[in-house]
Amino acid sequence: PADGEPKTWPLVQGPLEMRPERYVVPALSLEAYVRAEVTSAAAAPLLPGEARIFLGPDFLGRASFPLLRPGDSTMLNLGLDPNLTVELVQVRDEREEPGVFSDTVHLHRAWQLVLKLGAAAAGPASILIEEAFPVSRDDRIEIQPIAAKPAALAEEQDLADRQERGIWRWRVELAPGASQTLRWGWSAAFDEELAPEFGAD
């Protein structure tokens, strides 16, 4: 109708394959973020623009879509998950001073992470956890990881990021009402005159 009001109508309808997950980076935040990898299965390209995201009837928010050709993927950030709680506690913080015949200082630090998915969650959750360990750029500073439980992911990209950037990853699957505990840590050895900084605990 020529009433001067803007109109909207569908141009094309096409399926999107979604792989949702929760994303947790304890060193930066104890919030659990919902994100999803979206792959276009439409027969034609989807033009870039703003999208409104719904989970069933619930409006989750707005997201910016790039140009998606058939088979292309993008990652959408969908906000916080109030059903997933994250608790991080440092369980070890020890410093061994140099001995009589040595100038070497030894540090030992370890953490425990507890994830709990509330019983009110709509279904199981796949959770990706990333944590940064120190990486030595100086041959005089030796850093060794303390055995992580459960074992961290060990695909080719995971191992490369671990070696180059100190990024360790875990993936946990939780059912509503379930919880999971993770533990990790590292030790460092260096001459006491170096006094390296290892960042905030």
mmCIF file with all atom_site columns, all heavy atoms in Angstrom, residues 111 113 115 129 133 146-153 162 168-173 180-185:
data_model
loop_
_atom_site.group_PDB
_atom_site.id
_atom_site.type_symbol
_atom_site.label_atom_id
_atom_site.label_alt_id
_atom_site.label_comp_id
_atom_site.label_asym_id
_atom_site.label_entity_id
_atom_site.label_seq_id
_atom_site.pdbx_PDB_ins_code
_atom_site.Cartn_x
_atom_site.Cartn_y
_atom_site.Cartn_z
_atom_site.occupancy
_atom_site.B_iso_or_equiv
_atom_site.pdbx_formal_charge
_atom_site.auth_seq_id
_atom_site.auth_comp_id
_atom_site.auth_asym_id
_atom_site.auth_atom_id
_atom_site.pdbx_PDB_model_num
ATOM 1   N N   . TRP A 1 111 ? 45.582 -24.128 39.233 1.00 0.00 ? 111 TRP A N   1
ATOM 2   C CA  . TRP A 1 111 ? 44.212 -23.632 39.382 1.00 0.00 ? 111 TRP A CA  1
ATOM 3   C C   . TRP A 1 111 ? 43.208 -24.773 39.228 1.00 0.00 ? 111 TRP A C   1
ATOM 4   O O   . TRP A 1 111 ? 43.503 -25.806 38.634 1.00 0.00 ? 111 TRP A O   1
ATOM 5   C CB  . TRP A 1 111 ? 43.913 -22.582 38.309 1.00 0.00 ? 111 TRP A CB  1
ATOM 6   C CG  . TRP A 1 111 ? 44.653 -21.301 38.501 1.00 0.00 ? 111 TRP A CG  1
ATOM 7   C CD1 . TRP A 1 111 ? 44.195 -20.162 39.106 1.00 0.00 ? 111 TRP A CD1 1
ATOM 8   C CD2 . TRP A 1 111 ? 45.994 -21.007 38.078 1.00 0.00 ? 111 TRP A CD2 1
ATOM 9   N NE1 . TRP A 1 111 ? 45.167 -19.198 39.078 1.00 0.00 ? 111 TRP A NE1 1
ATOM 10  C CE2 . TRP A 1 111 ? 46.282 -19.680 38.470 1.00 0.00 ? 111 TRP A CE2 1
ATOM 11  C CE3 . TRP A 1 111 ? 46.979 -21.759 37.421 1.00 0.00 ? 111 TRP A CE3 1
ATOM 12  C CZ2 . TRP A 1 111 ? 47.507 -19.077 38.211 1.00 0.00 ? 111 TRP A CZ2 1
ATOM 13  C CZ3 . TRP A 1 111 ? 48.197 -21.154 37.166 1.00 0.00 ? 111 TRP A CZ3 1
ATOM 14  C CH2 . TRP A 1 111 ? 48.465 -19.831 37.559 1.00 0.00 ? 111 TRP A CH2 1
ATOM 15  N N   . LEU A 1 113 ? 39.088 -25.225 38.051 1.00 0.00 ? 113 LEU A N   1
ATOM 16  C CA  . LEU A 1 113 ? 37.917 -24.608 37.443 1.00 0.00 ? 113 LEU A CA  1
ATOM 17  C C   . LEU A 1 113 ? 36.733 -25.544 37.595 1.00 0.00 ? 113 LEU A C   1
ATOM 18  O O   . LEU A 1 113 ? 36.845 -26.736 37.304 1.00 0.00 ? 113 LEU A O   1
ATOM 19  C CB  . LEU A 1 113 ? 38.185 -24.346 35.953 1.00 0.00 ? 113 LEU A CB  1
ATOM 20  C CG  . LEU A 1 113 ? 37.058 -23.696 35.163 1.00 0.00 ? 113 LEU A CG  1
ATOM 21  C CD1 . LEU A 1 113 ? 36.953 -22.214 35.507 1.00 0.00 ? 113 LEU A CD1 1
ATOM 22  C CD2 . LEU A 1 113 ? 37.285 -23.869 33.658 1.00 0.00 ? 113 LEU A CD2 1
ATOM 23  N N   . LEU A 1 115 ? 32.767 -25.985 36.425 1.00 0.00 ? 115 LEU A N   1
ATOM 24  C CA  . LEU A 1 115 ? 31.670 -25.574 35.553 1.00 0.00 ? 115 LEU A CA  1
ATOM 25  C C   . LEU A 1 115 ? 30.394 -26.268 36.002 1.00 0.00 ? 115 LEU A C   1
ATOM 26  O O   . LEU A 1 115 ? 30.402 -27.477 36.236 1.00 0.00 ? 115 LEU A O   1
ATOM 27  C CB  . LEU A 1 115 ? 31.966 -25.956 34.103 1.00 0.00 ? 115 LEU A CB  1
ATOM 28  C CG  . LEU A 1 115 ? 33.263 -25.420 33.491 1.00 0.00 ? 115 LEU A CG  1
ATOM 29  C CD1 . LEU A 1 115 ? 33.544 -26.133 32.172 1.00 0.00 ? 115 LEU A CD1 1
ATOM 30  C CD2 . LEU A 1 115 ? 33.176 -23.922 33.280 1.00 0.00 ? 115 LEU A CD2 1
ATOM 31  N N   . ILE A 1 129 ? 36.884 -24.245 26.629 1.00 0.00 ? 129 ILE A N   1
ATOM 32  C CA  . ILE A 1 129 ? 37.631 -23.471 27.612 1.00 0.00 ? 129 ILE A CA  1
ATOM 33  C C   . ILE A 1 129 ? 39.011 -23.184 27.047 1.00 0.00 ? 129 ILE A C   1
ATOM 34  O O   . ILE A 1 129 ? 39.673 -24.081 26.519 1.00 0.00 ? 129 ILE A O   1
ATOM 35  C CB  . ILE A 1 129 ? 37.770 -24.232 28.946 1.00 0.00 ? 129 ILE A CB  1
ATOM 36  C CG1 . ILE A 1 129 ? 36.384 -24.591 29.511 1.00 0.00 ? 129 ILE A CG1 1
ATOM 37  C CG2 . ILE A 1 129 ? 38.564 -23.422 29.968 1.00 0.00 ? 129 ILE A CG2 1
ATOM 38  C CD1 . ILE A 1 129 ? 36.001 -26.025 29.299 1.00 0.00 ? 129 ILE A CD1 1
ATOM 39  N N   . PHE A 1 133 ? 48.942 -20.059 29.246 1.00 0.00 ? 133 PHE A N   1
ATOM 40  C CA  . PHE A 1 133 ? 50.101 -20.366 30.083 1.00 0.00 ? 133 PHE A CA  1
ATOM 41  C C   . PHE A 1 133 ? 51.239 -19.438 29.666 1.00 0.00 ? 133 PHE A C   1
ATOM 42  O O   . PHE A 1 133 ? 51.310 -19.005 28.520 1.00 0.00 ? 133 PHE A O   1
ATOM 43  C CB  . PHE A 1 133 ? 50.558 -21.815 29.872 1.00 0.00 ? 133 PHE A CB  1
ATOM 44  C CG  . PHE A 1 133 ? 49.676 -22.857 30.514 1.00 0.00 ? 133 PHE A CG  1
ATOM 45  C CD1 . PHE A 1 133 ? 48.319 -22.664 30.664 1.00 0.00 ? 133 PHE A CD1 1
ATOM 46  C CD2 . PHE A 1 133 ? 50.219 -24.055 30.939 1.00 0.00 ? 133 PHE A CD2 1
ATOM 47  C CE1 . PHE A 1 133 ? 47.506 -23.639 31.228 1.00 0.00 ? 133 PHE A CE1 1
ATOM 48  C CE2 . PHE A 1 133 ? 49.424 -25.038 31.503 1.00 0.00 ? 133 PHE A CE2 1
ATOM 49  C CZ  . PHE A 1 133 ? 48.067 -24.826 31.657 1.00 0.00 ? 133 PHE A CZ  1
ATOM 50  N N   . ILE A 1 146 ? 52.129 -28.227 34.369 1.00 0.00 ? 146 ILE A N   1
ATOM 51  C CA  . ILE A 1 146 ? 51.810 -29.279 35.336 1.00 0.00 ? 146 ILE A CA  1
ATOM 52  C C   . ILE A 1 146 ? 50.631 -30.058 34.760 1.00 0.00 ? 146 ILE A C   1
ATOM 53  O O   . ILE A 1 146 ? 49.712 -29.469 34.190 1.00 0.00 ? 146 ILE A O   1
ATOM 54  C CB  . ILE A 1 146 ? 51.456 -28.675 36.712 1.00 0.00 ? 146 ILE A CB  1
ATOM 55  C CG1 . ILE A 1 146 ? 52.655 -27.901 37.264 1.00 0.00 ? 146 ILE A CG1 1
ATOM 56  C CG2 . ILE A 1 146 ? 51.014 -29.749 37.689 1.00 0.00 ? 146 ILE A CG2 1
ATOM 57  C CD1 . ILE A 1 146 ? 52.353 -27.132 38.534 1.00 0.00 ? 146 ILE A CD1 1
ATOM 58  N N   . ALA A 1 147 ? 50.666 -31.359 34.879 1.00 0.00 ? 147 ALA A N   1
ATOM 59  C CA  . ALA A 1 147 ? 49.675 -32.239 34.245 1.00 0.00 ? 147 ALA A CA  1
ATOM 60  C C   . ALA A 1 147 ? 48.257 -31.702 34.414 1.00 0.00 ? 147 ALA A C   1
ATOM 61  O O   . ALA A 1 147 ? 47.793 -31.450 35.519 1.00 0.00 ? 147 ALA A O   1
ATOM 62  C CB  . ALA A 1 147 ? 49.783 -33.644 34.830 1.00 0.00 ? 147 ALA A CB  1
ATOM 63  N N   . ALA A 1 148 ? 47.581 -31.536 33.270 1.00 0.00 ? 148 ALA A N   1
ATOM 64  C CA  . ALA A 1 148 ? 46.212 -31.030 33.263 1.00 0.00 ? 148 ALA A CA  1
ATOM 65  C C   . ALA A 1 148 ? 45.239 -32.196 33.330 1.00 0.00 ? 148 ALA A C   1
ATOM 66  O O   . ALA A 1 148 ? 45.449 -33.225 32.699 1.00 0.00 ? 148 ALA A O   1
ATOM 67  C CB  . ALA A 1 148 ? 45.970 -30.204 32.006 1.00 0.00 ? 148 ALA A CB  1
ATOM 68  N N   . LYS A 1 149 ? 44.172 -32.023 34.089 1.00 0.00 ? 149 LYS A N   1
ATOM 69  C CA  . LYS A 1 149 ? 43.131 -33.045 34.207 1.00 0.00 ? 149 LYS A CA  1
ATOM 70  C C   . LYS A 1 149 ? 41.777 -32.373 34.036 1.00 0.00 ? 149 LYS A C   1
ATOM 71  O O   . LYS A 1 149 ? 41.455 -31.443 34.773 1.00 0.00 ? 149 LYS A O   1
ATOM 72  C CB  . LYS A 1 149 ? 43.201 -33.732 35.574 1.00 0.00 ? 149 LYS A CB  1
ATOM 73  C CG  . LYS A 1 149 ? 44.488 -34.508 35.800 1.00 0.00 ? 149 LYS A CG  1
ATOM 74  C CD  . LYS A 1 149 ? 44.477 -35.172 37.163 1.00 0.00 ? 149 LYS A CD  1
ATOM 75  C CE  . LYS A 1 149 ? 45.779 -35.939 37.411 1.00 0.00 ? 149 LYS A CE  1
ATOM 76  N NZ  . LYS A 1 149 ? 45.776 -36.564 38.756 1.00 0.00 ? 149 LYS A NZ  1
ATOM 77  N N   . PRO A 1 150 ? 40.994 -32.850 33.050 1.00 0.00 ? 150 PRO A N   1
ATOM 78  C CA  . PRO A 1 150 ? 41.319 -33.858 32.039 1.00 0.00 ? 150 PRO A CA  1
ATOM 79  C C   . PRO A 1 150 ? 42.353 -33.334 31.054 1.00 0.00 ? 150 PRO A C   1
ATOM 80  O O   . PRO A 1 150 ? 42.740 -32.167 31.114 1.00 0.00 ? 150 PRO A O   1
ATOM 81  C CB  . PRO A 1 150 ? 39.964 -34.089 31.354 1.00 0.00 ? 150 PRO A CB  1
ATOM 82  C CG  . PRO A 1 150 ? 39.231 -32.808 31.529 1.00 0.00 ? 150 PRO A CG  1
ATOM 83  C CD  . PRO A 1 150 ? 39.647 -32.282 32.872 1.00 0.00 ? 150 PRO A CD  1
ATOM 84  N N   . ALA A 1 151 ? 42.807 -34.205 30.159 1.00 0.00 ? 151 ALA A N   1
ATOM 85  C CA  . ALA A 1 151 ? 43.817 -33.813 29.195 1.00 0.00 ? 151 ALA A CA  1
ATOM 86  C C   . ALA A 1 151 ? 43.277 -32.718 28.270 1.00 0.00 ? 151 ALA A C   1
ATOM 87  O O   . ALA A 1 151 ? 42.098 -32.705 27.909 1.00 0.00 ? 151 ALA A O   1
ATOM 88  C CB  . ALA A 1 151 ? 44.260 -35.024 28.371 1.00 0.00 ? 151 ALA A CB  1
ATOM 89  N N   . ALA A 1 152 ? 44.149 -31.799 27.896 1.00 0.00 ? 152 ALA A N   1
ATOM 90  C CA  . ALA A 1 152 ? 43.769 -30.724 26.984 1.00 0.00 ? 152 ALA A CA  1
ATOM 91  C C   . ALA A 1 152 ? 43.634 -31.267 25.565 1.00 0.00 ? 152 ALA A C   1
ATOM 92  O O   . ALA A 1 152 ? 44.140 -32.344 25.235 1.00 0.00 ? 152 ALA A O   1
ATOM 93  C CB  . ALA A 1 152 ? 44.804 -29.612 27.036 1.00 0.00 ? 152 ALA A CB  1
ATOM 94  N N   . LEU A 1 153 ? 42.946 -30.494 24.716 1.00 0.00 ? 153 LEU A N   1
ATOM 95  C CA  . LEU A 1 153 ? 42.800 -30.870 23.318 1.00 0.00 ? 153 LEU A CA  1
ATOM 96  C C   . LEU A 1 153 ? 44.175 -30.923 22.656 1.00 0.00 ? 153 LEU A C   1
ATOM 97  O O   . LEU A 1 153 ? 45.063 -30.134 22.983 1.00 0.00 ? 153 LEU A O   1
ATOM 98  C CB  . LEU A 1 153 ? 41.913 -29.867 22.580 1.00 0.00 ? 153 LEU A CB  1
ATOM 99  C CG  . LEU A 1 153 ? 40.460 -29.760 23.072 1.00 0.00 ? 153 LEU A CG  1
ATOM 100 C CD1 . LEU A 1 153 ? 39.726 -28.692 22.289 1.00 0.00 ? 153 LEU A CD1 1
ATOM 101 C CD2 . LEU A 1 153 ? 39.747 -31.098 22.953 1.00 0.00 ? 153 LEU A CD2 1
ATOM 102 N N   . ARG A 1 162 ? 49.459 -23.965 21.451 1.00 0.00 ? 162 ARG A N   1
ATOM 103 C CA  . ARG A 1 162 ? 50.067 -24.220 22.748 1.00 0.00 ? 162 ARG A CA  1
ATOM 104 C C   . ARG A 1 162 ? 51.556 -23.886 22.725 1.00 0.00 ? 162 ARG A C   1
ATOM 105 O O   . ARG A 1 162 ? 52.084 -23.250 23.641 1.00 0.00 ? 162 ARG A O   1
ATOM 106 C CB  . ARG A 1 162 ? 49.850 -25.687 23.123 1.00 0.00 ? 162 ARG A CB  1
ATOM 107 C CG  . ARG A 1 162 ? 50.248 -26.042 24.534 1.00 0.00 ? 162 ARG A CG  1
ATOM 108 C CD  . ARG A 1 162 ? 50.082 -27.541 24.778 1.00 0.00 ? 162 ARG A CD  1
ATOM 109 N NE  . ARG A 1 162 ? 48.747 -28.032 24.470 1.00 0.00 ? 162 ARG A NE  1
ATOM 110 C CZ  . ARG A 1 162 ? 48.378 -29.302 24.607 1.00 0.00 ? 162 ARG A CZ  1
ATOM 111 N NH1 . ARG A 1 162 ? 49.264 -30.207 25.013 1.00 0.00 ? 162 ARG A NH1 1
ATOM 112 N NH2 . ARG A 1 162 ? 47.159 -29.682 24.318 1.00 0.00 ? 162 ARG A NH2 1
ATOM 113 N N   . TRP A 1 168 ? 46.055 -23.121 25.848 1.00 0.00 ? 168 TRP A N   1
ATOM 114 C CA  . TRP A 1 168 ? 45.595 -24.489 26.071 1.00 0.00 ? 168 TRP A CA  1
ATOM 115 C C   . TRP A 1 168 ? 44.074 -24.511 25.986 1.00 0.00 ? 168 TRP A C   1
ATOM 116 O O   . TRP A 1 168 ? 43.401 -23.569 26.429 1.00 0.00 ? 168 TRP A O   1
ATOM 117 C CB  . TRP A 1 168 ? 46.043 -24.991 27.447 1.00 0.00 ? 168 TRP A CB  1
ATOM 118 C CG  . TRP A 1 168 ? 47.523 -25.249 27.540 1.00 0.00 ? 168 TRP A CG  1
ATOM 119 C CD1 . TRP A 1 168 ? 48.526 -24.358 27.315 1.00 0.00 ? 168 TRP A CD1 1
ATOM 120 C CD2 . TRP A 1 168 ? 48.148 -26.488 27.878 1.00 0.00 ? 168 TRP A CD2 1
ATOM 121 N NE1 . TRP A 1 168 ? 49.741 -24.955 27.484 1.00 0.00 ? 168 TRP A NE1 1
ATOM 122 C CE2 . TRP A 1 168 ? 49.546 -26.264 27.834 1.00 0.00 ? 168 TRP A CE2 1
ATOM 123 C CE3 . TRP A 1 168 ? 47.672 -27.748 28.209 1.00 0.00 ? 168 TRP A CE3 1
ATOM 124 C CZ2 . TRP A 1 168 ? 50.462 -27.265 28.119 1.00 0.00 ? 168 TRP A CZ2 1
ATOM 125 C CZ3 . TRP A 1 168 ? 48.586 -28.751 28.497 1.00 0.00 ? 168 TRP A CZ3 1
ATOM 126 C CH2 . TRP A 1 168 ? 49.963 -28.506 28.444 1.00 0.00 ? 168 TRP A CH2 1
ATOM 127 N N   . ARG A 1 169 ? 43.530 -25.600 25.429 1.00 0.00 ? 169 ARG A N   1
ATOM 128 C CA  . ARG A 1 169 ? 42.082 -25.700 25.246 1.00 0.00 ? 169 ARG A CA  1
ATOM 129 C C   . ARG A 1 169 ? 41.550 -27.026 25.795 1.00 0.00 ? 169 ARG A C   1
ATOM 130 O O   . ARG A 1 169 ? 42.210 -28.056 25.700 1.00 0.00 ? 169 ARG A O   1
ATOM 131 C CB  . ARG A 1 169 ? 41.715 -25.610 23.767 1.00 0.00 ? 169 ARG A CB  1
ATOM 132 C CG  . ARG A 1 169 ? 42.057 -24.296 23.106 1.00 0.00 ? 169 ARG A CG  1
ATOM 133 C CD  . ARG A 1 169 ? 41.491 -24.233 21.693 1.00 0.00 ? 169 ARG A CD  1
ATOM 134 N NE  . ARG A 1 169 ? 41.860 -22.981 21.050 1.00 0.00 ? 169 ARG A NE  1
ATOM 135 C CZ  . ARG A 1 169 ? 42.913 -22.826 20.253 1.00 0.00 ? 169 ARG A CZ  1
ATOM 136 N NH1 . ARG A 1 169 ? 43.685 -23.878 19.975 1.00 0.00 ? 169 ARG A NH1 1
ATOM 137 N NH2 . ARG A 1 169 ? 43.180 -21.659 19.723 1.00 0.00 ? 169 ARG A NH2 1
ATOM 138 N N   . TRP A 1 170 ? 40.337 -26.945 26.313 1.00 0.00 ? 170 TRP A N   1
ATOM 139 C CA  . TRP A 1 170 ? 39.592 -28.136 26.728 1.00 0.00 ? 170 TRP A CA  1
ATOM 140 C C   . TRP A 1 170 ? 38.179 -28.019 26.172 1.00 0.00 ? 170 TRP A C   1
ATOM 141 O O   . TRP A 1 170 ? 37.652 -26.924 26.013 1.00 0.00 ? 170 TRP A O   1
ATOM 142 C CB  . TRP A 1 170 ? 39.490 -28.223 28.258 1.00 0.00 ? 170 TRP A CB  1
ATOM 143 C CG  . TRP A 1 170 ? 40.764 -28.464 28.965 1.00 0.00 ? 170 TRP A CG  1
ATOM 144 C CD1 . TRP A 1 170 ? 41.267 -29.658 29.408 1.00 0.00 ? 170 TRP A CD1 1
ATOM 145 C CD2 . TRP A 1 170 ? 41.734 -27.466 29.358 1.00 0.00 ? 170 TRP A CD2 1
ATOM 146 N NE1 . TRP A 1 170 ? 42.474 -29.475 30.031 1.00 0.00 ? 170 TRP A NE1 1
ATOM 147 C CE2 . TRP A 1 170 ? 42.787 -28.140 30.013 1.00 0.00 ? 170 TRP A CE2 1
ATOM 148 C CE3 . TRP A 1 170 ? 41.818 -26.079 29.202 1.00 0.00 ? 170 TRP A CE3 1
ATOM 149 C CZ2 . TRP A 1 170 ? 43.900 -27.477 30.526 1.00 0.00 ? 170 TRP A CZ2 1
ATOM 150 C CZ3 . TRP A 1 170 ? 42.926 -25.413 29.697 1.00 0.00 ? 170 TRP A CZ3 1
ATOM 151 C CH2 . TRP A 1 170 ? 43.949 -26.107 30.351 1.00 0.00 ? 170 TRP A CH2 1
ATOM 152 N N   . ARG A 1 171 ? 37.557 -29.166 25.895 1.00 0.00 ? 171 ARG A N   1
ATOM 153 C CA  . ARG A 1 171 ? 36.146 -29.173 25.511 1.00 0.00 ? 171 ARG A CA  1
ATOM 154 C C   . ARG A 1 171 ? 35.413 -30.107 26.451 1.00 0.00 ? 171 ARG A C   1
ATOM 155 O O   . ARG A 1 171 ? 35.840 -31.242 26.684 1.00 0.00 ? 171 ARG A O   1
ATOM 156 C CB  . ARG A 1 171 ? 35.941 -29.611 24.063 1.00 0.00 ? 171 ARG A CB  1
ATOM 157 C CG  . ARG A 1 171 ? 34.456 -29.494 23.642 1.00 0.00 ? 171 ARG A CG  1
ATOM 158 C CD  . ARG A 1 171 ? 34.268 -29.675 22.162 1.00 0.00 ? 171 ARG A CD  1
ATOM 159 N NE  . ARG A 1 171 ? 34.850 -28.614 21.365 1.00 0.00 ? 171 ARG A NE  1
ATOM 160 C CZ  . ARG A 1 171 ? 34.296 -27.414 21.182 1.00 0.00 ? 171 ARG A CZ  1
ATOM 161 N NH1 . ARG A 1 171 ? 33.153 -27.116 21.774 1.00 0.00 ? 171 ARG A NH1 1
ATOM 162 N NH2 . ARG A 1 171 ? 34.887 -26.511 20.418 1.00 0.00 ? 171 ARG A NH2 1
ATOM 163 N N   . VAL A 1 172 ? 34.310 -29.597 27.008 1.00 0.00 ? 172 VAL A N   1
ATOM 164 C CA  . VAL A 1 172 ? 33.521 -30.328 27.993 1.00 0.00 ? 172 VAL A CA  1
ATOM 165 C C   . VAL A 1 172 ? 32.079 -30.379 27.508 1.00 0.00 ? 172 VAL A C   1
ATOM 166 O O   . VAL A 1 172 ? 31.557 -29.384 26.996 1.00 0.00 ? 172 VAL A O   1
ATOM 167 C CB  . VAL A 1 172 ? 33.595 -29.627 29.372 1.00 0.00 ? 172 VAL A CB  1
ATOM 168 C CG1 . VAL A 1 172 ? 32.625 -30.249 30.357 1.00 0.00 ? 172 VAL A CG1 1
ATOM 169 C CG2 . VAL A 1 172 ? 35.019 -29.664 29.910 1.00 0.00 ? 172 VAL A CG2 1
ATOM 170 N N   . GLU A 1 173 ? 31.448 -31.525 27.671 1.00 0.00 ? 173 GLU A N   1
ATOM 171 C CA  . GLU A 1 173 ? 30.019 -31.673 27.364 1.00 0.00 ? 173 GLU A CA  1
ATOM 172 C C   . GLU A 1 173 ? 29.279 -31.848 28.692 1.00 0.00 ? 173 GLU A C   1
ATOM 173 O O   . GLU A 1 173 ? 29.608 -32.740 29.476 1.00 0.00 ? 173 GLU A O   1
ATOM 174 C CB  . GLU A 1 173 ? 29.784 -32.887 26.460 1.00 0.00 ? 173 GLU A CB  1
ATOM 175 C CG  . GLU A 1 173 ? 30.631 -32.909 25.189 1.00 0.00 ? 173 GLU A CG  1
ATOM 176 C CD  . GLU A 1 173 ? 30.230 -31.860 24.184 1.00 0.00 ? 173 GLU A CD  1
ATOM 177 O OE1 . GLU A 1 173 ? 29.046 -31.441 24.209 1.00 0.00 ? 173 GLU A OE1 1
ATOM 178 O OE2 . GLU A 1 173 ? 31.094 -31.448 23.386 1.00 0.00 ? 173 GLU A OE2 1
ATOM 179 N N   . GLN A 1 180 ? 31.464 -30.168 36.097 1.00 0.00 ? 180 GLN A N   1
ATOM 180 C CA  . GLN A 1 180 ? 32.751 -30.721 35.679 1.00 0.00 ? 180 GLN A CA  1
ATOM 181 C C   . GLN A 1 180 ? 33.862 -29.894 36.308 1.00 0.00 ? 180 GLN A C   1
ATOM 182 O O   . GLN A 1 180 ? 33.795 -28.664 36.350 1.00 0.00 ? 180 GLN A O   1
ATOM 183 C CB  . GLN A 1 180 ? 32.883 -30.676 34.157 1.00 0.00 ? 180 GLN A CB  1
ATOM 184 C CG  . GLN A 1 180 ? 34.252 -31.059 33.622 1.00 0.00 ? 180 GLN A CG  1
ATOM 185 C CD  . GLN A 1 180 ? 34.487 -32.554 33.629 1.00 0.00 ? 180 GLN A CD  1
ATOM 186 O OE1 . GLN A 1 180 ? 33.648 -33.298 33.140 1.00 0.00 ? 180 GLN A OE1 1
ATOM 187 N NE2 . GLN A 1 180 ? 35.605 -32.991 34.166 1.00 0.00 ? 180 GLN A NE2 1
ATOM 188 N N   . THR A 1 181 ? 34.898 -30.575 36.822 1.00 0.00 ? 181 THR A N   1
ATOM 189 C CA  . THR A 1 181 ? 36.054 -29.907 37.409 1.00 0.00 ? 181 THR A CA  1
ATOM 190 C C   . THR A 1 181 ? 37.266 -30.110 36.517 1.00 0.00 ? 181 THR A C   1
ATOM 191 O O   . THR A 1 181 ? 37.531 -31.222 36.061 1.00 0.00 ? 181 THR A O   1
ATOM 192 C CB  . THR A 1 181 ? 36.341 -30.469 38.821 1.00 0.00 ? 181 THR A CB  1
ATOM 193 O OG1 . THR A 1 181 ? 35.201 -30.238 39.663 1.00 0.00 ? 181 THR A OG1 1
ATOM 194 C CG2 . THR A 1 181 ? 37.563 -29.797 39.431 1.00 0.00 ? 181 THR A CG2 1
ATOM 195 N N   . LEU A 1 182 ? 38.004 -29.031 36.267 1.00 0.00 ? 182 LEU A N   1
ATOM 196 C CA  . LEU A 1 182 ? 39.243 -29.084 35.493 1.00 0.00 ? 182 LEU A CA  1
ATOM 197 C C   . LEU A 1 182 ? 40.371 -28.542 36.358 1.00 0.00 ? 182 LEU A C   1
ATOM 198 O O   . LEU A 1 182 ? 40.158 -27.643 37.177 1.00 0.00 ? 182 LEU A O   1
ATOM 199 C CB  . LEU A 1 182 ? 39.146 -28.254 34.213 1.00 0.00 ? 182 LEU A CB  1
ATOM 200 C CG  . LEU A 1 182 ? 38.159 -28.707 33.139 1.00 0.00 ? 182 LEU A CG  1
ATOM 201 C CD1 . LEU A 1 182 ? 36.784 -28.137 33.389 1.00 0.00 ? 182 LEU A CD1 1
ATOM 202 C CD2 . LEU A 1 182 ? 38.653 -28.305 31.769 1.00 0.00 ? 182 LEU A CD2 1
ATOM 203 N N   . ARG A 1 183 ? 41.570 -29.080 36.150 1.00 0.00 ? 183 ARG A N   1
ATOM 204 C CA  . ARG A 1 183 ? 42.746 -28.605 36.880 1.00 0.00 ? 183 ARG A CA  1
ATOM 205 C C   . ARG A 1 183 ? 43.897 -28.428 35.908 1.00 0.00 ? 183 ARG A C   1
ATOM 206 O O   . ARG A 1 183 ? 44.066 -29.221 34.980 1.00 0.00 ? 183 ARG A O   1
ATOM 207 C CB  . ARG A 1 183 ? 43.134 -29.604 37.978 1.00 0.00 ? 183 ARG A CB  1
ATOM 208 C CG  . ARG A 1 183 ? 42.091 -29.750 39.071 1.00 0.00 ? 183 ARG A CG  1
ATOM 209 C CD  . ARG A 1 183 ? 42.541 -30.758 40.130 1.00 0.00 ? 183 ARG A CD  1
ATOM 210 N NE  . ARG A 1 183 ? 41.573 -30.885 41.211 1.00 0.00 ? 183 ARG A NE  1
ATOM 211 C CZ  . ARG A 1 183 ? 40.530 -31.707 41.189 1.00 0.00 ? 183 ARG A CZ  1
ATOM 212 N NH1 . ARG A 1 183 ? 40.336 -32.476 40.132 1.00 0.00 ? 183 ARG A NH1 1
ATOM 213 N NH2 . ARG A 1 183 ? 39.688 -31.754 42.199 1.00 0.00 ? 183 ARG A NH2 1
ATOM 214 N N   . TRP A 1 184 ? 44.688 -27.382 36.124 1.00 0.00 ? 184 TRP A N   1
ATOM 215 C CA  . TRP A 1 184 ? 45.878 -27.155 35.318 1.00 0.00 ? 184 TRP A CA  1
ATOM 216 C C   . TRP A 1 184 ? 46.848 -26.275 36.101 1.00 0.00 ? 184 TRP A C   1
ATOM 217 O O   . TRP A 1 184 ? 46.489 -25.676 37.113 1.00 0.00 ? 184 TRP A O   1
ATOM 218 C CB  . TRP A 1 184 ? 45.530 -26.502 33.980 1.00 0.00 ? 184 TRP A CB  1
ATOM 219 C CG  . TRP A 1 184 ? 44.975 -25.120 34.115 1.00 0.00 ? 184 TRP A CG  1
ATOM 220 C CD1 . TRP A 1 184 ? 45.665 -23.957 34.350 1.00 0.00 ? 184 TRP A CD1 1
ATOM 221 C CD2 . TRP A 1 184 ? 43.600 -24.741 34.030 1.00 0.00 ? 184 TRP A CD2 1
ATOM 222 N NE1 . TRP A 1 184 ? 44.811 -22.888 34.417 1.00 0.00 ? 184 TRP A NE1 1
ATOM 223 C CE2 . TRP A 1 184 ? 43.536 -23.338 34.217 1.00 0.00 ? 184 TRP A CE2 1
ATOM 224 C CE3 . TRP A 1 184 ? 42.418 -25.451 33.795 1.00 0.00 ? 184 TRP A CE3 1
ATOM 225 C CZ2 . TRP A 1 184 ? 42.333 -22.639 34.188 1.00 0.00 ? 184 TRP A CZ2 1
ATOM 226 C CZ3 . TRP A 1 184 ? 41.231 -24.758 33.778 1.00 0.00 ? 184 TRP A CZ3 1
ATOM 227 C CH2 . TRP A 1 184 ? 41.188 -23.360 33.970 1.00 0.00 ? 184 TRP A CH2 1
ATOM 228 N N   . GLY A 1 185 ? 48.067 -26.197 35.601 1.00 0.00 ? 185 GLY A N   1
ATOM 229 C CA  . GLY A 1 185 ? 49.051 -25.348 36.245 1.00 0.00 ? 185 GLY A CA  1
ATOM 230 C C   . GLY A 1 185 ? 50.359 -25.368 35.495 1.00 0.00 ? 185 GLY A C   1
ATOM 231 O O   . GLY A 1 185 ? 50.489 -26.001 34.439 1.00 0.00 ? 185 GLY A O   1
#
